[in-house]
Amino acid sequence: MSEFRIHHDVNELLSLLRVHGGDGAEVYIDLLQKNRTPYVTTTVSAHSAKVKIAEFSRTPEDFLKKYDELKSKNTRNLDPLVYLLSKLTEDKETLQYLQQNAKERAELAATAAASSAPSFSAPAAASKISMQELEELRKQLGSVATGPTVQQSLELTRKMLRDKQNKKSSGQCLPVFPAWVYERPTLVGDFLTGSGLSTDTGVPIGSLPLAAQESAIVEDLLYVLVGVDGRYVTAQPLAGRQSRTFLVDPSLDLSVRELVNRILPVAASYSTVTRFIEEKSSFEYGQVNHALAAAMRTLVKEHLVLVTQLEQLQRQGLLSLQKLWFYIQPATRTVDILASLATSVDKGECVGGSTLSLLHDRSVNYTGDSQAQELCLYLTKAASVPYFEILEKWIYRGIINDPYSEFMVEEHELRKEKIQEDYNDKYWDQRYTVVQRHIPSFLQKMAGKVLSTGKYLNVVRECGHDVTCPVAKEVIYTLKERAYVEQIEKAFNYASKVLLNFLMEGQELLAHLRSIKRYFLMDQGDFFVHLMDLTEEELRKPVDDIAPPRLEALLELALRMSTANTDPFKDDLKIELMPHDLITQLLRVLAIETKQEKALVHADPSELALSGLEAFSFDYVVKWPLSLIISRKALTRYQMLFRHLFYCKHVERRLCGVWLSNKAAKQHSLHSAQGFAGAFTLRQRMLNFVQNIQCYMMFEVLEPTWHVLEKNLKSASNIDDVLGHHTSFLDSCLKDCMLTSPELLRVFSKLMSVCVMFTNCMQRFTQSMKLDGELGRPPLEHGTMLGPPTEAERAEERARKERARKHLAEHVDTPQLASSFEATISKFDKNFSAHLLDLLARLSIYSTSDCEHGMASVISRLDFNGFYTERLERLSAERSQKAAPVPAPRAPPAPAPRVAVAAQ
């Protein structure tokens, strides 16, 4: 079960129990994931669990009756559910909570029902009803009490199945029997009850001699055994799906009647089988039930042959009642088993795979009875033929031909082109899905491989290549499951090899992934230097003022001017301006099922004034079938990594720009030489932080994880392994780059914001110093060594000083925002140090408590000389003092997180 399925089920359970507040679903999800086992534990002993629940229940008879009813319907996962309920009976605390919860929900339901119940006005006691109203009321009550007939209920069932199948077959109507087939009961071969036919018995049978009674009753029994009423033995009308009952002349001799009552169950079973064959022969019930009904019809013919032979003996006067009982003994067991199977299929409303599961389970249960097992095996083999034909087409050619929706794999209408457009599209997971109720129990273990085998071949067929498995063999039902396993394994191995070779060699999957890494993971250094130099001015504009064609042209120029020009897939790279910044995009993904989700989802993108730099991202054109691996979801993860790395690179360039401007500022006179010393130190700390973070992400996260991915892809045996390795690679990169933890992400974004604000401040101060220098420069009145100044030089000087005065006038309030330059730098230093200490403390917790040992490398890089160790110790001591409820004697300081890093 996937993490998202666990998340959904936990939220559904909390919703049903009306649990609000508390720790939320995340706590329970973590507990379930930590305690899940890699092996299957659903095979449990249901008998002891059933006995335990029955002893615990107030109404054990009702519970056992319900269990037997669900068992007869072949309900899946019934035994694991009963086992879970038996475990709940042992947990007193959970039971008490569930009882209280059930009581509260019942009270709420009663309150809601009372508030919404309509008010009825009863007629006055003295009012009288006319005869016409009374007769109309009697008719209405009679119609309600009678309800629909069996024929009407069957017609309703057929209509429901027909509508369901037509909906799945894309409007292509399936064939149906004409109405006259159902309107002529004489074609059924069952008893005609309520037909109005006279059955004149003449004299009562009790008035005849005993020999005559036996002769007459034998003749009647021969009729009854083939579904025709006799003179003294008649069938009773059916009410629902109950077994057929018979009425015997009460004047019959008691000894004869006893023997007749032993023979009549055979006729009742014959009636059940005949009705089942007639009903399941309709198109709506599917090919498996058609095949089962045909096999039963063959056995019923043998029963009719037996009755015909007995009739021949009766005409010769050689058949007594005792001989009749003796001759039908072998047929009794056969007809009883057929009737039992027919009743179970009817109760369970079995179609397709569920019918085969029921037949297979019966075959296994009759292991000690060779005759009954042989009969069930015959029926199962006959019924499985159409199902196995669908299975063979699927695993050998990747084609589903399932007009009646009986097969374990169901096809959905999804377009493969949507993978390139829709982030939430689930083509690979949802185009073909497994329908649990249609999986035969003998194929349950292989259901996953059956699904994957057909999917692999179907992908190759979608690309225009016709494939047929060379090891294809006919699948025949047998009790030895190993036969199915071997055939499906061979087909799976062939399909895996075909699709893997097609993607790796024909479609160059690995080359495309390397191309994506080159751009999205910033593996092409010279290309990004060219690109950032060319687009720097354009990306400073608001996103609404940027012309995308200009950016595309600059991208093309950067590709042609760098070594990326040798990449054969460079033309697939595109530029995309995102509607949200990186932090908002990541929080939208991380806020699923949390309180912040609605606020983030309904946020208006226009409220955020994004710059081109914040919205800038790459996109990549991926065609089918590579879009199975490089889907929109995978590309979105690549975009998140790229935007994170790109912004870090931008901040590094800004800090390097400050370094250059500081070099130029040294030639100007300063009011306080020590003021810039603090700014230089802070700039170097920020630059060290950004460069070490980049180095960690590039060389300790992305590169090693990429090498692991390449190694895994080369050893992958099927496309599901490729999907798993690729998804694992992206998940590891996002997690180790601190993009999956909202706490780390927020602190890191604050640090980057402080760095950007510091660079802006330093640029303003440097610009102000330059302008001060311009204003303090002596005029060109006396000329230079080259001679007196020209008019052009004088005009240029005047314009330069005018620009300086104007700039100073615009920013005259800037120095007033902070008391002085030193105070501003001190404030930046304080903010940066506080956020960095917060980040180091959180990284230390992640690296120790959550076993994220990769995070420890960041601490060792940022605190390589122990500069922050003392501050972290002090911060840890303050937190421990706040957490302690009772003041304790002063203890030695706790070891710093730095020590744990050094130990590694």
Side-chain angles (χ1 to χ4, degrees):
M1 185 181 289
S2 66
E3 179 181 352
F4 295 104
R5 179 62 184 272
I6 295 175
H7 206 297
H8 171 76
D9 290 346
V10 169
N11 279 289
E12 191 73 17
L13 181 60
L14 293 178
S15 174
L16 290 173
L17 293 176
R18 299 179 184 271
V19 177
H20 303 288
D23 299 328
E26 287 76 12
V27 177
Y28 305 108
I29 292 167
D30 292 339
L31 285 173
L32 288 172
Q33 288 182 332
K34 289 178 181 177
N35 293 302
R36 66 192 299 188
T37 54
Y39 46 85
V40 179
T41 58
T42 54
T43 304
V44 295
S45 173
H47 180 71
S48 58
K50 181 177 67 173
V51 172
K52 186 180 297 183
I53 297 175
E55 293 174 352
F56 179 80
S57 175
R58 295 178 181 176
T59 55
E61 295 84 1
D62 294 341
F63 166 74
L64 294 174
K65 183 179 179 181
K66 189 66 177 178
Y67 177 85
D68 293 337
E69 178 186 346
L70 294 174
K71 199 68 176 175
S72 67
K73 291 183 177 181
N74 201 35
T75 306
R76 297 291 180 94
N77 297 324
L78 177 62
D79 290 344
L81 175 63
V82 171
Y83 179 77
L84 176 62
L85 294 176
S86 71
K87 288 296 182 183
L88 288 177
T89 60
E90 301 173 1
D91 191 342
K92 303 299 180 185
E93 185 178 354
T94 305
L95 275 178
Q96 185 177 0
Y97 170 76
L98 291 175
Q99 289 171 354
Q100 181 65 25
N101 185 272
K103 184 179 178 182
E104 293 174 358
R105 288 190 288 119
E107 292 174 354
L108 287 172
T111 305
S115 62
S116 62
S119 59
F120 294 97
S121 58
S127 63
K128 295 183 178 180
I129 302 177
S130 64
M131 293 301 296
Q132 183 179 359
E133 292 175 342
L134 182 62
E135 186 65 25
E136 185 177 349
L137 180 61
R138 185 182 292 111
K139 289 181 180 178
Q140 291 178 356
L141 291 175
S143 64
V144 171
T146 306
T149 63
V150 176
Q151 190 63 31
Q152 290 173 341
S153 65
L154 290 178
E155 177 60 32
L156 187 63
T157 304
R158 286 195 296 269
K159 186 177 184 303
M160 182 182 65
L161 290 172
R162 192 161 54 244
D163 293 343
K164 182 179 178 182
Q165 291 158 4
N166 288 336
K167 186 183 295 184
K168 290 187 177 180
S169 60
S170 303
Q172 181 181 0
C173 294
L174 299 174
V176 293
F177 281 136
W180 58 263
V181 173
Y182 307 108
E183 294 171 356
R184 299 186 180 183
T186 52
L187 297 176
V188 176
D190 194 18
F191 296 93
L192 294 176
T193 56
S195 59
L197 295 177
S198 61
T199 54
D200 186 14
T201 58
V203 295
I205 193 172
S207 62
L208 300 176
L210 188 59
Q213 290 185 28
E214 182 177 355
S215 176
I217 208 68
V218 165
E219 184 179 0
D220 271 11
L221 286 175
L222 290 177
Y223 279 113
V224 169
L225 287 175
V226 295
V228 180
D229 283 330
R231 289 180 298 171
Y232 305 104
V233 181
T234 57
Q236 296 297 302
L238 289 173
R241 291 182 176 273
Q242 65 183 18
S243 181
R244 177 78 69 182
T245 57
F246 297 91
L247 180 64
V248 183
D249 191 326
S251 63
L252 183 66
D253 185 76
L254 289 178
S255 60
V256 177
R257 183 187 300 176
E258 179 64 25
L259 203 51
V260 168
N261 289 334
R262 293 185 186 180
I263 298 175
L264 286 179
V266 181
S269 298
Y270 170 82
S271 174
T272 301
V273 175
T274 304
R275 281 181 281 115
F276 175 83
I277 292 172
E278 187 65 27
E279 178 186 345
K280 301 305 178 185
S281 295
S282 298
F283 287 105
E284 292 82 3
Y285 291 96
Q287 297 177 3
V288 173
N289 283 333
H290 296 170
L292 176 61
M296 285 187 173
R297 187 178 285 111
T298 302
L299 296 175
V300 167
K301 286 181 179 178
E302 295 182 2
H303 171 78
L304 295 177
V305 170
L306 172 65
V307 175
T308 304
Q309 293 172 345
L310 294 175
E311 184 183 5
Q312 180 67 19
L313 292 176
Q314 189 262 342
R315 289 184 176 182
Q316 296 174 1
L318 302 177
L319 185 65
S320 64
L321 191 59
Q322 289 289 346
K323 284 186 177 181
L324 175 62
W325 171 241
F326 173 76
Y327 284 133
I328 66 169
Q329 283 299 309
T332 303
R333 179 64 172 158
T334 301
V335 178
D336 284 347
I337 293 174
L338 294 180
S340 173
L341 289 173
T343 304
S344 298
V345 171
D346 267 342
K347 281 186 178 180
E349 298 178 356
C350 299
V351 177
S354 55
T355 301
L356 294 181
S357 295
L358 190 145
L359 292 172
H360 173 76
D361 293 343
R362 288 294 181 91
S363 301
V364 174
N365 293 338
Y366 285 135
T367 302
D369 189 342
S370 58
Q371 181 182 359
Q373 188 178 47
E374 185 179 354
L375 175 63
C376 286
L377 283 175
Y378 166 76
L379 293 174
T380 312
K381 282 182 179 179
S384 64
V385 169
Y387 191 91
F388 282 153
E389 287 179 356
I390 303 174
L391 176 67
E392 290 168 12
K393 270 192 175 180
W394 174 246
I395 65 173
Y396 294 150
R397 300 188 61 194
I399 299 174
I400 285 188
N401 184 14
D402 182 22
Y404 300 104
S405 303
E406 302 172 279
F407 191 49
M408 69 171 76
V409 179
E410 186 177 22
E411 183 178 5
H412 303 276
E413 291 296 328
L414 289 175
R415 292 186 298 112
K416 56 179 179 292
E417 292 80 8
K418 289 185 67 179
I419 303 180
Q420 305 169 24
E421 306 165 4
D422 188 4
Y423 174 83
N424 291 316
D425 189 68
K426 301 276 189 178
Y427 182 88
W428 183 252
D429 296 328
Q430 294 184 358
R431 172 71 190 278
Y432 296 102
T433 56
V434 171
V435 184
Q436 286 294 330
R437 66 180 182 276
H438 289 162
I439 304 176
S441 55
F442 50 87
L443 292 178
Q444 182 72 47
K445 297 178 181 178
M446 303 299 295
K449 286 199 173 181
V450 169
L451 174 66
S452 299
T453 303
K455 281 167 65 175
Y456 295 164
L457 296 177
N458 186 264
V459 170
V460 181
R461 288 180 58 83
E462 291 275 350
C463 298
H465 299 270
D466 191 14
V467 288
T468 303
C469 183
V471 293
K473 289 174 59 179
E474 184 182 3
V475 183
I476 301 175
Y477 173 78
T478 174
L479 286 177
K480 298 177 181 178
E481 295 186 9
R482 187 63 193 167
Y484 310 119
V485 173
E486 290 178 355
Q487 286 179 260
I488 294 172
E489 284 280 0
K490 289 178 181 178
F492 175 77
N493 293 334
Y494 169 76
S496 303
K497 183 180 177 182
V498 167
L499 181 57
L500 199 60
N501 291 341
F502 180 69
L503 288 179
M504 288 293 191
E505 298 174 7
Q507 299 294 322
E508 300 179 289
L509 172 63
L510 202 53
H512 276 88
L513 289 176
R514 286 177 183 145
S515 177
I516 289 176
K517 174 179 179 282
R518 185 175 290 118
Y519 305 118
F520 284 85
L521 304 185
M522 301 185 75
D523 192 41
Q524 196 78 39
D526 62 330
F527 161 71
F528 282 100
V529 172
H530 285 300
L531 180 66
M532 298 183 85
D533 288 339
L534 291 171
T535 59
E536 185 173 8
E537 182 179 352
E538 188 75 15
L539 292 179
R540 286 178 182 173
K541 301 177 184 178
V543 68
D544 295 333
D545 298 339
I546 295 177
R550 176 171 172 76
L551 280 181
E552 292 286 352
L554 294 175
L555 171 65
E556 182 74 15
L557 184 61
L559 286 171
R560 304 303 177 190
M561 291 173 58
S562 64
T563 55
N565 193 32
T566 60
D567 182 11
F569 309 113
K570 61 181 179 295
D571 294 331
D572 293 333
L573 186 67
K574 304 295 177 185
I575 285 180
E576 183 177 5
L577 296 176
M578 308 294 288
H580 302 283
D581 61 348
L582 174 63
I583 304 300
T584 307
Q585 183 185 12
L586 286 168
L587 289 179
R588 283 168 67 95
V589 176
L590 297 174
I592 295 175
E593 298 293 342
T594 63
K595 296 178 181 178
Q596 296 87 2
E597 181 183 13
K598 291 184 179 179
L600 289 169
V601 168
H602 298 293
D604 187 4
S606 61
E607 295 177 0
L608 303 173
L610 292 180
S611 66
L613 182 80
E614 292 172 319
F616 181 78
S617 181
F618 282 150
D619 198 6
Y620 199 84
V621 178
V622 186
K623 297 179 181 179
W624 174 266
L626 290 179
S627 51
L628 286 174
I629 309 298
I630 312 171
S631 62
R632 174 50 55 185
K633 180 180 285 188
L635 279 177
T636 303
R637 295 179 181 179
Y638 277 117
Q639 285 178 338
M640 291 178 183
L641 288 168
F642 167 74
R643 298 178 76 184
H644 190 51
L645 296 170
F646 187 76
Y647 194 71
C648 290
K649 181 61 71 175
H650 163 71
V651 174
E652 182 192 9
R653 284 171 61 91
R654 293 288 298 270
L655 290 170
C656 290
V658 171
W659 180 83
L660 290 174
S661 62
N662 290 160
K663 293 298 181 184
K666 290 183 178 180
Q667 59 185 333
H668 301 286
S669 60
L670 302 175
H671 298 290
S672 174
Q674 296 180 351
F676 261 88
F680 292 166
T681 304
L682 180 58
R683 180 211 67 220
Q684 192 59 35
R685 287 174 56 205
M686 289 181 174
L687 192 59
N688 176 73
F689 163 72
V690 174
Q691 288 178 340
N692 275 293
I693 285 290
Q694 285 189 96
C695 189
Y696 159 74
M697 291 190 294
M698 296 295 295
F699 298 107
E700 296 190 27
V701 176
L702 299 179
E703 281 299 325
T705 315
W706 172 259
H707 285 296
V708 172
L709 173 65
E710 276 197 334
K711 181 180 177 182
N712 289 335
L713 290 183
K714 290 177 181 177
S715 61
S717 59
N718 58 68
I719 202 65
D720 280 309
D721 289 347
V722 173
L723 274 169
H725 293 320
H726 188 232
T727 304
S728 176
F729 161 74
L730 290 172
D731 289 343
S732 299
C733 291
L734 287 170
K735 182 178 69 176
D736 292 339
C737 290
M738 299 178 287
L739 292 178
T740 57
S741 170
E743 295 83 7
L744 292 178
L745 190 60
R746 289 191 183 95
V747 177
F748 184 80
S749 64
K750 289 177 183 177
L751 276 168
M752 304 303 283
S753 299
V754 170
C755 293
V756 172
M757 293 169 63
F758 171 76
T759 59
N760 294 335
C761 180
M762 288 301 297
Q763 286 180 353
R764 287 199 301 269
F765 276 115
T766 305
Q767 186 70 17
S768 298
M769 285 189 304
K770 289 182 179 179
L771 295 173
D772 285 340
E774 291 289 342
L775 292 175
R777 181 182 299 177
L780 295 173
E781 295 176 357
H782 305 290
T784 61
M785 295 178 62
L786 299 176
T790 63
E791 286 299 323
E793 290 175 342
R794 289 178 185 276
E796 184 182 353
E797 181 188 12
R798 284 195 300 270
R800 189 165 56 245
K801 290 189 176 183
E802 183 62 29
R803 285 196 302 268
R805 290 190 187 95
K806 185 178 179 181
H807 187 273
L808 287 175
E810 291 175 353
H811 297 83
V812 68
D813 57 340
T814 301
Q816 297 175 2
L817 297 176
S819 58
S820 64
F821 176 70
E822 291 84 355
T824 304
I825 298 302
S826 175
K827 188 175 180 181
F828 276 118
D829 193 325
K830 182 179 178 182
N831 288 338
F832 180 76
S833 299
H835 291 317
L836 185 56
L837 283 173
D838 189 14
L839 179 66
L840 290 173
R842 292 178 185 276
L843 288 175
S844 176
I845 294 172
Y846 271 85
S847 63
T848 53
S849 62
D850 294 348
C851 299
E852 301 293 343
H853 302 302
M855 301 288 186
S857 178
V858 186
I859 303 177
S860 61
R861 281 181 172 276
L862 299 178
D863 192 25
F864 62 94
N865 58 357
F867 179 75
Y868 299 104
T869 301
E870 185 179 350
R871 298 189 185 186
L872 284 172
E873 290 177 354
R874 201 159 46 241
L875 183 64
S876 177
E878 290 175 1
R879 288 179 177 174
S880 61
Q881 287 179 2
K882 290 180 182 178
V886 180
R890 183 160 185 165
R898 176 82 183 119
V899 178
V901 176
Q904 292 181 1

